[in-house]
Amino acid sequence: MRFHHVNCQGYAFDLVPENGKMREFKRFCCEFVSDKAFDQLISEGEDNSGIPRWMHIGYKHRQRTLQRRQALSMVHGKYYPMTE
């Protein structure tokens, strides 16, 4: 894996697997955070079949005390509950 982007406060990061298998990586990310405190997991830039361009993981909210545990999909610039 490599960092695709790190937000300026360091509370979130965007990831793309080196092998490019985004569907599998999306499932892995969902499973990985399922028992952890996190703010948001976003499958960014999904195509019509639910495959993201990258995965965004916000492990802390900017207010530091909130952990929303949101799993979202961004499709055509809009957010929805995460697709499978």
Side-chain angles (χ1 to χ4, degrees):
M1 278 184 271
R2 60 183 154 84
F3 283 132
H4 190 263
H5 172 73
V6 178
N7 84 4
C8 61
Q9 294 168 333
Y11 294 143
F13 45 92
D14 296 338
L15 295 170
V16 175
E18 287 290 328
N19 66 8
K21 294 182 179 184
M22 291 305 300
R23 184 180 301 280
E24 293 86 349
F25 188 60
K26 178 180 171 181
R27 281 190 211 117
F28 168 79
C29 289
C30 290
E31 290 175 22
F32 182 77
V33 301
S34 67
D35 64 346
K36 295 172 180 58
F38 69 98
D39 189 45
Q40 291 182 316
L41 174 65
I42 305 173
S43 179
E44 299 268 3
E46 281 191 11
D47 64 16
N48 292 333
S49 60
I51 298 173
R53 291 181 59 212
W54 68 89
M55 293 299 294
H56 170 87
I57 301 173
Y59 72 95
K60 281 192 176 183
H61 189 275
R62 288 185 175 128
Q63 293 177 355
R64 298 183 186 177
T65 57
L66 296 175
Q67 295 295 79
R68 297 175 286 183
R69 294 185 50 86
Q70 292 178 326
L72 305 169
S73 288
M74 186 193 44
V75 182
H76 306 298
K78 295 184 181 179
Y79 294 94
Y80 303 94
M82 187 171 288
T83 61
E84 296 216 5

